[in-house]
Amino acid sequence: MLRRLYNWTLSLAATRHAERALFAVSFAESSFFPIPPDVLMIPMVIAKPLKWLRIALICTLASILGAIGGYLIGMFLFEAVGQPILAFYGKEHSFEQIAEWYNTWGGWGVLFAAITPFPYKVLTIFSGATGLNFGIFLLVSVIGRSFRFFLIAFLLNRYGVPIRDFIEKYLGILFTVFVVLLFGGFYLVKYVF
């Protein structure tokens, strides 16, 4: 089923409604949809490389708006759905402990998810549920999503079809390594030096 959904999403790139489809998929992926917008964005930029900035901007703006939607889902639906489940298992206090830790370090988690292939929607919803500072949430979402989508679009515009395989195979791993090194650097500066 996931493969059919992937193929359907990919087929949207060839339609005259590709930009609207990219907006919709980017928005939905940030809060609930399982297929990343890269699936649509990559063939769109390859087909129209001169529109790479526009395509990256559409993808970024929609993703940030979707992230706000995910935040609101966590903020308003957690009480109705999540709390009763935690209470049933006797873990309502565990959530408070996790939320306290997350509100201290969660901005880094959101940045990590915004750049890497980690399911971004998980942390957008969790950020709303824990009450992560909305300004921090929005700032790291803008930085992370802009970095990811504009870099991918730029690479596709610059190097064309040959870079597509590299992006699909290795860019997620490279983003993850980059973020881990970034976190490691901040950790070293704060605790070692």
Side-chain angles (χ1 to χ4, degrees), residues 67-105:
I68 293 168
Y71 187 95
L72 293 173
I73 287 170
M75 179 182 259
F76 294 114
L77 296 179
F78 181 75
E79 292 284 326
V81 178
Q83 282 288 30
I85 292 170
L86 289 174
F88 177 78
Y89 289 105
K91 298 291 185 187
E92 59 271 14
H93 299 295
S94 298
F95 178 79
E96 291 170 14
Q97 292 168 338
I98 292 170
E100 185 179 322
W101 177 88
Y102 186 77
N103 285 332
T104 302
W105 300 102

PDB file of all heavy atoms in Angstrom, residues 67-105:
ATOM      1  N   ALA A  67       3.745  22.111   9.518  1.00  0.00           N
ATOM      2  CA  ALA A  67       4.346  21.928  10.843  1.00  0.00           C
ATOM      3  C   ALA A  67       3.531  22.654  11.907  1.00  0.00           C
ATOM      4  O   ALA A  67       3.313  22.135  13.013  1.00  0.00           O
ATOM      5  CB  ALA A  67       5.789  22.423  10.845  1.00  0.00           C
ATOM      6  N   ILE A  68       3.061  23.844  11.570  1.00  0.00           N
ATOM      7  CA  ILE A  68       2.191  24.578  12.499  1.00  0.00           C
ATOM      8  C   ILE A  68       0.913  23.777  12.735  1.00  0.00           C
ATOM      9  O   ILE A  68       0.426  23.674  13.863  1.00  0.00           O
ATOM     10  CB  ILE A  68       1.895  26.001  11.970  1.00  0.00           C
ATOM     11  CG1 ILE A  68       3.181  26.831  11.964  1.00  0.00           C
ATOM     12  CG2 ILE A  68       0.800  26.680  12.788  1.00  0.00           C
ATOM     13  CD1 ILE A  68       3.082  28.145  11.201  1.00  0.00           C
ATOM     14  N   GLY A  69       0.380  23.173  11.660  1.00  0.00           N
ATOM     15  CA  GLY A  69      -0.793  22.308  11.811  1.00  0.00           C
ATOM     16  C   GLY A  69      -0.501  21.128  12.727  1.00  0.00           C
ATOM     17  O   GLY A  69      -1.320  20.769  13.583  1.00  0.00           O
ATOM     18  N   GLY A  70       0.661  20.502  12.561  1.00  0.00           N
ATOM     19  CA  GLY A  70       1.051  19.393  13.435  1.00  0.00           C
ATOM     20  C   GLY A  70       1.171  19.840  14.882  1.00  0.00           C
ATOM     21  O   GLY A  70       0.745  19.136  15.803  1.00  0.00           O
ATOM     22  N   TYR A  71       1.754  21.011  15.082  1.00  0.00           N
ATOM     23  CA  TYR A  71       1.879  21.584  16.425  1.00  0.00           C
ATOM     24  C   TYR A  71       0.496  21.759  17.059  1.00  0.00           C
ATOM     25  O   TYR A  71       0.277  21.402  18.213  1.00  0.00           O
ATOM     26  CB  TYR A  71       2.613  22.919  16.335  1.00  0.00           C
ATOM     27  CG  TYR A  71       2.968  23.539  17.666  1.00  0.00           C
ATOM     28  CD1 TYR A  71       4.220  23.331  18.221  1.00  0.00           C
ATOM     29  CD2 TYR A  71       2.066  24.350  18.354  1.00  0.00           C
ATOM     30  CE1 TYR A  71       4.571  23.914  19.427  1.00  0.00           C
ATOM     31  CE2 TYR A  71       2.401  24.931  19.563  1.00  0.00           C
ATOM     32  CZ  TYR A  71       3.659  24.715  20.102  1.00  0.00           C
ATOM     33  OH  TYR A  71       3.997  25.288  21.313  1.00  0.00           O
ATOM     34  N   LEU A  72      -0.451  22.284  16.265  1.00  0.00           N
ATOM     35  CA  LEU A  72      -1.816  22.500  16.769  1.00  0.00           C
ATOM     36  C   LEU A  72      -2.527  21.171  17.059  1.00  0.00           C
ATOM     37  O   LEU A  72      -3.290  21.079  18.021  1.00  0.00           O
ATOM     38  CB  LEU A  72      -2.617  23.343  15.781  1.00  0.00           C
ATOM     39  CG  LEU A  72      -2.128  24.790  15.626  1.00  0.00           C
ATOM     40  CD1 LEU A  72      -2.880  25.497  14.500  1.00  0.00           C
ATOM     41  CD2 LEU A  72      -2.233  25.554  16.927  1.00  0.00           C
ATOM     42  N   ILE A  73      -2.262  20.154  16.237  1.00  0.00           N
ATOM     43  CA  ILE A  73      -2.831  18.831  16.507  1.00  0.00           C
ATOM     44  C   ILE A  73      -2.348  18.347  17.868  1.00  0.00           C
ATOM     45  O   ILE A  73      -3.137  17.885  18.701  1.00  0.00           O
ATOM     46  CB  ILE A  73      -2.437  17.826  15.402  1.00  0.00           C
ATOM     47  CG1 ILE A  73      -3.201  18.127  14.112  1.00  0.00           C
ATOM     48  CG2 ILE A  73      -2.707  16.384  15.853  1.00  0.00           C
ATOM     49  CD1 ILE A  73      -2.692  17.343  12.898  1.00  0.00           C
ATOM     50  N   GLY A  74      -1.050  18.450  18.098  1.00  0.00           N
ATOM     51  CA  GLY A  74      -0.501  18.036  19.396  1.00  0.00           C
ATOM     52  C   GLY A  74      -1.039  18.865  20.540  1.00  0.00           C
ATOM     53  O   GLY A  74      -1.339  18.341  21.617  1.00  0.00           O
ATOM     54  N   MET A  75      -1.196  20.147  20.308  1.00  0.00           N
ATOM     55  CA  MET A  75      -1.645  21.051  21.364  1.00  0.00           C
ATOM     56  C   MET A  75      -3.108  20.801  21.751  1.00  0.00           C
ATOM     57  O   MET A  75      -3.442  20.772  22.935  1.00  0.00           O
ATOM     58  CB  MET A  75      -1.476  22.501  20.904  1.00  0.00           C
ATOM     59  CG  MET A  75      -1.932  23.540  21.895  1.00  0.00           C
ATOM     60  SD  MET A  75      -1.728  25.187  21.201  1.00  0.00           S
ATOM     61  CE  MET A  75      -0.230  25.654  22.022  1.00  0.00           C
ATOM     62  N   PHE A  76      -3.967  20.597  20.755  1.00  0.00           N
ATOM     63  CA  PHE A  76      -5.399  20.514  21.044  1.00  0.00           C
ATOM     64  C   PHE A  76      -5.965  19.106  21.110  1.00  0.00           C
ATOM     65  O   PHE A  76      -6.996  18.891  21.740  1.00  0.00           O
ATOM     66  CB  PHE A  76      -6.189  21.351  20.029  1.00  0.00           C
ATOM     67  CG  PHE A  76      -5.912  22.820  20.160  1.00  0.00           C
ATOM     68  CD1 PHE A  76      -5.261  23.499  19.143  1.00  0.00           C
ATOM     69  CD2 PHE A  76      -6.262  23.510  21.300  1.00  0.00           C
ATOM     70  CE1 PHE A  76      -4.987  24.852  19.257  1.00  0.00           C
ATOM     71  CE2 PHE A  76      -5.988  24.873  21.427  1.00  0.00           C
ATOM     72  CZ  PHE A  76      -5.346  25.535  20.402  1.00  0.00           C
ATOM     73  N   LEU A  77      -5.342  18.149  20.460  1.00  0.00           N
ATOM     74  CA  LEU A  77      -5.890  16.792  20.468  1.00  0.00           C
ATOM     75  C   LEU A  77      -5.212  15.864  21.471  1.00  0.00           C
ATOM     76  O   LEU A  77      -5.699  14.773  21.721  1.00  0.00           O
ATOM     77  CB  LEU A  77      -5.836  16.178  19.066  1.00  0.00           C
ATOM     78  CG  LEU A  77      -6.697  16.868  18.018  1.00  0.00           C
ATOM     79  CD1 LEU A  77      -6.555  16.186  16.666  1.00  0.00           C
ATOM     80  CD2 LEU A  77      -8.153  16.891  18.450  1.00  0.00           C
ATOM     81  N   PHE A  78      -4.096  16.299  22.038  1.00  0.00           N
ATOM     82  CA  PHE A  78      -3.410  15.439  22.993  1.00  0.00           C
ATOM     83  C   PHE A  78      -4.286  15.174  24.217  1.00  0.00           C
ATOM     84  O   PHE A  78      -4.357  14.052  24.713  1.00  0.00           O
ATOM     85  CB  PHE A  78      -2.067  16.038  23.412  1.00  0.00           C
ATOM     86  CG  PHE A  78      -1.344  15.157  24.379  1.00  0.00           C
ATOM     87  CD1 PHE A  78      -0.720  14.004  23.930  1.00  0.00           C
ATOM     88  CD2 PHE A  78      -1.314  15.449  25.724  1.00  0.00           C
ATOM     89  CE1 PHE A  78      -0.075  13.162  24.820  1.00  0.00           C
ATOM     90  CE2 PHE A  78      -0.669  14.617  26.618  1.00  0.00           C
ATOM     91  CZ  PHE A  78      -0.045  13.470  26.161  1.00  0.00           C
ATOM     92  N   GLU A  79      -4.938  16.208  24.709  1.00  0.00           N
ATOM     93  CA  GLU A  79      -5.806  16.047  25.893  1.00  0.00           C
ATOM     94  C   GLU A  79      -6.892  15.010  25.640  1.00  0.00           C
ATOM     95  O   GLU A  79      -7.166  14.168  26.484  1.00  0.00           O
ATOM     96  CB  GLU A  79      -6.458  17.392  26.262  1.00  0.00           C
ATOM     97  CG  GLU A  79      -5.493  18.423  26.786  1.00  0.00           C
ATOM     98  CD  GLU A  79      -5.081  18.160  28.219  1.00  0.00           C
ATOM     99  OE1 GLU A  79      -5.908  17.663  29.006  1.00  0.00           O
ATOM    100  OE2 GLU A  79      -3.912  18.445  28.543  1.00  0.00           O
ATOM    101  N   ALA A  80      -7.501  15.067  24.463  1.00  0.00           N
ATOM    102  CA  ALA A  80      -8.628  14.179  24.161  1.00  0.00           C
ATOM    103  C   ALA A  80      -8.196  12.750  23.859  1.00  0.00           C
ATOM    104  O   ALA A  80      -8.904  11.806  24.194  1.00  0.00           O
ATOM    105  CB  ALA A  80      -9.416  14.735  22.976  1.00  0.00           C
ATOM    106  N   VAL A  81      -7.031  12.589  23.234  1.00  0.00           N
ATOM    107  CA  VAL A  81      -6.617  11.263  22.777  1.00  0.00           C
ATOM    108  C   VAL A  81      -5.451  10.706  23.595  1.00  0.00           C
ATOM    109  O   VAL A  81      -5.522   9.587  24.108  1.00  0.00           O
ATOM    110  CB  VAL A  81      -6.236  11.302  21.271  1.00  0.00           C
ATOM    111  CG1 VAL A  81      -5.760   9.957  20.802  1.00  0.00           C
ATOM    112  CG2 VAL A  81      -7.406  11.793  20.437  1.00  0.00           C
ATOM    113  N   GLY A  82      -4.387  11.485  23.720  1.00  0.00           N
ATOM    114  CA  GLY A  82      -3.168  10.987  24.345  1.00  0.00           C
ATOM    115  C   GLY A  82      -3.252  10.788  25.842  1.00  0.00           C
ATOM    116  O   GLY A  82      -2.797   9.773  26.374  1.00  0.00           O
ATOM    117  N   GLN A  83      -3.827  11.744  26.543  1.00  0.00           N
ATOM    118  CA  GLN A  83      -3.902  11.655  28.014  1.00  0.00           C
ATOM    119  C   GLN A  83      -4.656  10.420  28.494  1.00  0.00           C
ATOM    120  O   GLN A  83      -4.169   9.724  29.383  1.00  0.00           O
ATOM    121  CB  GLN A  83      -4.534  12.921  28.608  1.00  0.00           C
ATOM    122  CG  GLN A  83      -3.610  14.098  28.671  1.00  0.00           C
ATOM    123  CD  GLN A  83      -2.529  13.951  29.737  1.00  0.00           C
ATOM    124  OE1 GLN A  83      -2.072  12.870  30.076  1.00  0.00           O
ATOM    125  NE2 GLN A  83      -2.104  15.079  30.258  1.00  0.00           N
ATOM    126  N   PRO A  84      -5.835  10.115  27.951  1.00  0.00           N
ATOM    127  CA  PRO A  84      -6.533   8.904  28.414  1.00  0.00           C
ATOM    128  C   PRO A  84      -5.741   7.615  28.189  1.00  0.00           C
ATOM    129  O   PRO A  84      -5.783   6.704  29.022  1.00  0.00           O
ATOM    130  CB  PRO A  84      -7.828   8.898  27.588  1.00  0.00           C
ATOM    131  CG  PRO A  84      -8.041  10.311  27.203  1.00  0.00           C
ATOM    132  CD  PRO A  84      -6.656  10.887  27.045  1.00  0.00           C
ATOM    133  N   ILE A  85      -4.991   7.568  27.095  1.00  0.00           N
ATOM    134  CA  ILE A  85      -4.176   6.376  26.838  1.00  0.00           C
ATOM    135  C   ILE A  85      -3.075   6.257  27.882  1.00  0.00           C
ATOM    136  O   ILE A  85      -2.844   5.188  28.449  1.00  0.00           O
ATOM    137  CB  ILE A  85      -3.594   6.415  25.407  1.00  0.00           C
ATOM    138  CG1 ILE A  85      -4.717   6.276  24.384  1.00  0.00           C
ATOM    139  CG2 ILE A  85      -2.540   5.318  25.213  1.00  0.00           C
ATOM    140  CD1 ILE A  85      -4.291   6.543  22.960  1.00  0.00           C
ATOM    141  N   LEU A  86      -2.395   7.361  28.174  1.00  0.00           N
ATOM    142  CA  LEU A  86      -1.349   7.340  29.199  1.00  0.00           C
ATOM    143  C   LEU A  86      -1.925   6.984  30.567  1.00  0.00           C
ATOM    144  O   LEU A  86      -1.320   6.221  31.329  1.00  0.00           O
ATOM    145  CB  LEU A  86      -0.636   8.697  29.267  1.00  0.00           C
ATOM    146  CG  LEU A  86       0.266   9.052  28.092  1.00  0.00           C
ATOM    147  CD1 LEU A  86       0.788  10.465  28.232  1.00  0.00           C
ATOM    148  CD2 LEU A  86       1.420   8.075  27.983  1.00  0.00           C
ATOM    149  N   ALA A  87      -3.093   7.531  30.894  1.00  0.00           N
ATOM    150  CA  ALA A  87      -3.726   7.238  32.182  1.00  0.00           C
ATOM    151  C   ALA A  87      -4.086   5.756  32.283  1.00  0.00           C
ATOM    152  O   ALA A  87      -3.927   5.132  33.339  1.00  0.00           O
ATOM    153  CB  ALA A  87      -4.964   8.110  32.368  1.00  0.00           C
ATOM    154  N   PHE A  88      -4.570   5.176  31.207  1.00  0.00           N
ATOM    155  CA  PHE A  88      -4.933   3.759  31.190  1.00  0.00           C
ATOM    156  C   PHE A  88      -3.736   2.880  31.562  1.00  0.00           C
ATOM    157  O   PHE A  88      -3.862   1.896  32.274  1.00  0.00           O
ATOM    158  CB  PHE A  88      -5.476   3.374  29.802  1.00  0.00           C
ATOM    159  CG  PHE A  88      -5.799   1.916  29.673  1.00  0.00           C
ATOM    160  CD1 PHE A  88      -6.966   1.403  30.219  1.00  0.00           C
ATOM    161  CD2 PHE A  88      -4.927   1.059  29.014  1.00  0.00           C
ATOM    162  CE1 PHE A  88      -7.274   0.049  30.104  1.00  0.00           C
ATOM    163  CE2 PHE A  88      -5.215  -0.293  28.895  1.00  0.00           C
ATOM    164  CZ  PHE A  88      -6.396  -0.804  29.446  1.00  0.00           C
ATOM    165  N   TYR A  89      -2.557   3.279  31.080  1.00  0.00           N
ATOM    166  CA  TYR A  89      -1.342   2.522  31.368  1.00  0.00           C
ATOM    167  C   TYR A  89      -0.609   3.021  32.617  1.00  0.00           C
ATOM    168  O   TYR A  89       0.473   2.545  32.937  1.00  0.00           O
ATOM    169  CB  TYR A  89      -0.391   2.563  30.164  1.00  0.00           C
ATOM    170  CG  TYR A  89      -0.902   1.746  29.001  1.00  0.00           C
ATOM    171  CD1 TYR A  89      -1.448   2.360  27.895  1.00  0.00           C
ATOM    172  CD2 TYR A  89      -0.853   0.354  29.042  1.00  0.00           C
ATOM    173  CE1 TYR A  89      -1.927   1.613  26.828  1.00  0.00           C
ATOM    174  CE2 TYR A  89      -1.331  -0.398  27.983  1.00  0.00           C
ATOM    175  CZ  TYR A  89      -1.868   0.227  26.886  1.00  0.00           C
ATOM    176  OH  TYR A  89      -2.347  -0.502  25.835  1.00  0.00           O
ATOM    177  N   GLY A  90      -1.182   4.010  33.308  1.00  0.00           N
ATOM    178  CA  GLY A  90      -0.553   4.532  34.512  1.00  0.00           C
ATOM    179  C   GLY A  90       0.714   5.313  34.251  1.00  0.00           C
ATOM    180  O   GLY A  90       1.611   5.373  35.086  1.00  0.00           O
ATOM    181  N   LYS A  91       0.807   5.945  33.095  1.00  0.00           N
ATOM    182  CA  LYS A  91       2.032   6.649  32.696  1.00  0.00           C
ATOM    183  C   LYS A  91       1.831   8.154  32.524  1.00  0.00           C
ATOM    184  O   LYS A  91       2.654   8.812  31.896  1.00  0.00           O
ATOM    185  CB  LYS A  91       2.567   6.068  31.368  1.00  0.00           C
ATOM    186  CG  LYS A  91       2.943   4.608  31.443  1.00  0.00           C
ATOM    187  CD  LYS A  91       4.157   4.422  32.312  1.00  0.00           C
ATOM    188  CE  LYS A  91       4.608   2.967  32.289  1.00  0.00           C
ATOM    189  NZ  LYS A  91       5.675   2.714  33.234  1.00  0.00           N
ATOM    190  N   GLU A  92       0.777   8.712  33.086  1.00  0.00           N
ATOM    191  CA  GLU A  92       0.555  10.144  32.885  1.00  0.00           C
ATOM    192  C   GLU A  92       1.684  10.999  33.445  1.00  0.00           C
ATOM    193  O   GLU A  92       1.999  12.058  32.927  1.00  0.00           O
ATOM    194  CB  GLU A  92      -0.801  10.597  33.439  1.00  0.00           C
ATOM    195  CG  GLU A  92      -1.013  10.349  34.913  1.00  0.00           C
ATOM    196  CD  GLU A  92      -1.621   8.982  35.223  1.00  0.00           C
ATOM    197  OE1 GLU A  92      -1.645   8.114  34.359  1.00  0.00           O
ATOM    198  OE2 GLU A  92      -2.073   8.808  36.353  1.00  0.00           O
ATOM    199  N   HIS A  93       2.359  10.525  34.507  1.00  0.00           N
ATOM    200  CA  HIS A  93       3.476  11.288  35.079  1.00  0.00           C
ATOM    201  C   HIS A  93       4.747  11.137  34.243  1.00  0.00           C
ATOM    202  O   HIS A  93       5.596  12.022  34.241  1.00  0.00           O
ATOM    203  CB  HIS A  93       3.721  10.865  36.526  1.00  0.00           C
ATOM    204  CG  HIS A  93       2.529  11.121  37.395  1.00  0.00           C
ATOM    205  ND1 HIS A  93       2.064  12.385  37.655  1.00  0.00           N
ATOM    206  CD2 HIS A  93       1.688  10.271  38.028  1.00  0.00           C
ATOM    207  CE1 HIS A  93       0.987  12.311  38.421  1.00  0.00           C
ATOM    208  NE2 HIS A  93       0.737  11.031  38.657  1.00  0.00           N
ATOM    209  N   SER A  94       4.860  10.031  33.541  1.00  0.00           N
ATOM    210  CA  SER A  94       6.015   9.841  32.655  1.00  0.00           C
ATOM    211  C   SER A  94       6.020  10.905  31.567  1.00  0.00           C
ATOM    212  O   SER A  94       7.063  11.426  31.195  1.00  0.00           O
ATOM    213  CB  SER A  94       5.981   8.459  32.008  1.00  0.00           C
ATOM    214  OG  SER A  94       6.067   7.462  32.985  1.00  0.00           O
ATOM    215  N   PHE A  95       4.846  11.218  31.047  1.00  0.00           N
ATOM    216  CA  PHE A  95       4.756  12.230  29.998  1.00  0.00           C
ATOM    217  C   PHE A  95       5.257  13.577  30.515  1.00  0.00           C
ATOM    218  O   PHE A  95       5.964  14.294  29.815  1.00  0.00           O
ATOM    219  CB  PHE A  95       3.329  12.362  29.471  1.00  0.00           C
ATOM    220  CG  PHE A  95       3.205  13.428  28.418  1.00  0.00           C
ATOM    221  CD1 PHE A  95       3.604  13.181  27.114  1.00  0.00           C
ATOM    222  CD2 PHE A  95       2.729  14.693  28.730  1.00  0.00           C
ATOM    223  CE1 PHE A  95       3.533  14.166  26.146  1.00  0.00           C
ATOM    224  CE2 PHE A  95       2.639  15.673  27.761  1.00  0.00           C
ATOM    225  CZ  PHE A  95       3.041  15.410  26.470  1.00  0.00           C
ATOM    226  N   GLU A  96       4.899  13.930  31.738  1.00  0.00           N
ATOM    227  CA  GLU A  96       5.332  15.215  32.302  1.00  0.00           C
ATOM    228  C   GLU A  96       6.852  15.290  32.398  1.00  0.00           C
ATOM    229  O   GLU A  96       7.443  16.329  32.126  1.00  0.00           O
ATOM    230  CB  GLU A  96       4.685  15.435  33.671  1.00  0.00           C
ATOM    231  CG  GLU A  96       3.191  15.672  33.587  1.00  0.00           C
ATOM    232  CD  GLU A  96       2.504  15.650  34.948  1.00  0.00           C
ATOM    233  OE1 GLU A  96       3.203  15.723  35.969  1.00  0.00           O
ATOM    234  OE2 GLU A  96       1.271  15.570  34.950  1.00  0.00           O
ATOM    235  N   GLN A  97       7.491  14.181  32.767  1.00  0.00           N
ATOM    236  CA  GLN A  97       8.953  14.155  32.852  1.00  0.00           C
ATOM    237  C   GLN A  97       9.567  14.304  31.460  1.00  0.00           C
ATOM    238  O   GLN A  97      10.525  15.057  31.279  1.00  0.00           O
ATOM    239  CB  GLN A  97       9.427  12.849  33.501  1.00  0.00           C
ATOM    240  CG  GLN A  97       9.053  12.753  34.955  1.00  0.00           C
ATOM    241  CD  GLN A  97       9.278  11.348  35.501  1.00  0.00           C
ATOM    242  OE1 GLN A  97       9.323  10.378  34.756  1.00  0.00           O
ATOM    243  NE2 GLN A  97       9.410  11.260  36.817  1.00  0.00           N
ATOM    244  N   ILE A  98       9.026  13.579  30.504  1.00  0.00           N
ATOM    245  CA  ILE A  98       9.541  13.672  29.134  1.00  0.00           C
ATOM    246  C   ILE A  98       9.301  15.081  28.584  1.00  0.00           C
ATOM    247  O   ILE A  98      10.167  15.655  27.933  1.00  0.00           O
ATOM    248  CB  ILE A  98       8.881  12.611  28.226  1.00  0.00           C
ATOM    249  CG1 ILE A  98       9.344  11.214  28.648  1.00  0.00           C
ATOM    250  CG2 ILE A  98       9.211  12.854  26.757  1.00  0.00           C
ATOM    251  CD1 ILE A  98       8.573  10.089  27.993  1.00  0.00           C
ATOM    252  N   ALA A  99       8.126  15.643  28.843  1.00  0.00           N
ATOM    253  CA  ALA A  99       7.791  16.982  28.347  1.00  0.00           C
ATOM    254  C   ALA A  99       8.752  18.025  28.908  1.00  0.00           C
ATOM    255  O   ALA A  99       9.181  18.936  28.189  1.00  0.00           O
ATOM    256  CB  ALA A  99       6.348  17.335  28.699  1.00  0.00           C
ATOM    257  N   GLU A 100       9.113  17.898  30.171  1.00  0.00           N
ATOM    258  CA  GLU A 100      10.045  18.845  30.784  1.00  0.00           C
ATOM    259  C   GLU A 100      11.408  18.792  30.084  1.00  0.00           C
ATOM    260  O   GLU A 100      11.988  19.809  29.741  1.00  0.00           O
ATOM    261  CB  GLU A 100      10.205  18.534  32.267  1.00  0.00           C
ATOM    262  CG  GLU A 100      11.060  19.527  33.011  1.00  0.00           C
ATOM    263  CD  GLU A 100      11.152  19.184  34.490  1.00  0.00           C
ATOM    264  OE1 GLU A 100      10.157  18.746  35.075  1.00  0.00           O
ATOM    265  OE2 GLU A 100      12.257  19.356  35.041  1.00  0.00           O
ATOM    266  N   TRP A 101      11.902  17.568  29.856  1.00  0.00           N
ATOM    267  CA  TRP A 101      13.178  17.410  29.152  1.00  0.00           C
ATOM    268  C   TRP A 101      13.056  17.949  27.734  1.00  0.00           C
ATOM    269  O   TRP A 101      13.929  18.662  27.251  1.00  0.00           O
ATOM    270  CB  TRP A 101      13.584  15.925  29.120  1.00  0.00           C
ATOM    271  CG  TRP A 101      14.844  15.706  28.349  1.00  0.00           C
ATOM    272  CD1 TRP A 101      16.113  15.755  28.827  1.00  0.00           C
ATOM    273  CD2 TRP A 101      14.952  15.437  26.944  1.00  0.00           C
ATOM    274  NE1 TRP A 101      17.010  15.524  27.800  1.00  0.00           N
ATOM    275  CE2 TRP A 101      16.323  15.320  26.638  1.00  0.00           C
ATOM    276  CE3 TRP A 101      14.030  15.274  25.922  1.00  0.00           C
ATOM    277  CZ2 TRP A 101      16.789  15.064  25.350  1.00  0.00           C
ATOM    278  CZ3 TRP A 101      14.501  15.016  24.640  1.00  0.00           C
ATOM    279  CH2 TRP A 101      15.862  14.912  24.369  1.00  0.00           C
ATOM    280  N   TYR A 102      11.961  17.613  27.060  1.00  0.00           N
ATOM    281  CA  TYR A 102      11.775  18.011  25.666  1.00  0.00           C
ATOM    282  C   TYR A 102      11.695  19.520  25.524  1.00  0.00           C
ATOM    283  O   TYR A 102      12.209  20.087  24.560  1.00  0.00           O
ATOM    284  CB  TYR A 102      10.515  17.353  25.092  1.00  0.00           C
ATOM    285  CG  TYR A 102      10.346  17.597  23.610  1.00  0.00           C
ATOM    286  CD1 TYR A 102      11.106  16.892  22.690  1.00  0.00           C
ATOM    287  CD2 TYR A 102       9.451  18.539  23.127  1.00  0.00           C
ATOM    288  CE1 TYR A 102      10.972  17.113  21.333  1.00  0.00           C
ATOM    289  CE2 TYR A 102       9.306  18.768  21.776  1.00  0.00           C
ATOM    290  CZ  TYR A 102      10.076  18.053  20.882  1.00  0.00           C
ATOM    291  OH  TYR A 102       9.940  18.285  19.539  1.00  0.00           O
ATOM    292  N   ASN A 103      11.067  20.188  26.473  1.00  0.00           N
ATOM    293  CA  ASN A 103      10.948  21.641  26.368  1.00  0.00           C
ATOM    294  C   ASN A 103      12.283  22.338  26.582  1.00  0.00           C
ATOM    295  O   ASN A 103      12.450  23.485  26.198  1.00  0.00           O
ATOM    296  CB  ASN A 103       9.884  22.162  27.324  1.00  0.00           C
ATOM    297  CG  ASN A 103       8.498  21.850  26.803  1.00  0.00           C
ATOM    298  OD1 ASN A 103       8.284  21.745  25.604  1.00  0.00           O
ATOM    299  ND2 ASN A 103       7.561  21.671  27.695  1.00  0.00           N
ATOM    300  N   THR A 104      13.251  21.635  27.165  1.00  0.00           N
ATOM    301  CA  THR A 104      14.597  22.181  27.287  1.00  0.00           C
ATOM    302  C   THR A 104      15.408  21.924  26.023  1.00  0.00           C
ATOM    303  O   THR A 104      16.116  22.794  25.534  1.00  0.00           O
ATOM    304  CB  THR A 104      15.326  21.543  28.497  1.00  0.00           C
ATOM    305  OG1 THR A 104      14.559  21.795  29.674  1.00  0.00           O
ATOM    306  CG2 THR A 104      16.722  22.119  28.656  1.00  0.00           C
ATOM    307  N   TRP A 105      15.292  20.716  25.459  1.00  0.00           N
ATOM    308  CA  TRP A 105      16.126  20.298  24.344  1.00  0.00           C
ATOM    309  C   TRP A 105      15.361  20.068  23.038  1.00  0.00           C
ATOM    310  O   TRP A 105      15.969  19.732  22.022  1.00  0.00           O
ATOM    311  CB  TRP A 105      16.872  19.002  24.699  1.00  0.00           C
ATOM    312  CG  TRP A 105      17.743  19.185  25.898  1.00  0.00           C
ATOM    313  CD1 TRP A 105      17.472  18.783  27.176  1.00  0.00           C
ATOM    314  CD2 TRP A 105      18.995  19.855  25.951  1.00  0.00           C
ATOM    315  NE1 TRP A 105      18.491  19.142  28.019  1.00  0.00           N
ATOM    316  CE2 TRP A 105      19.447  19.807  27.282  1.00  0.00           C
ATOM    317  CE3 TRP A 105      19.788  20.477  24.996  1.00  0.00           C
ATOM    318  CZ2 TRP A 105      20.644  20.367  27.691  1.00  0.00           C
ATOM    319  CZ3 TRP A 105      20.998  21.032  25.408  1.00  0.00           C
ATOM    320  CH2 TRP A 105      21.409  20.972  26.733  1.00  0.00           C
TER     321      TRP A 105
END
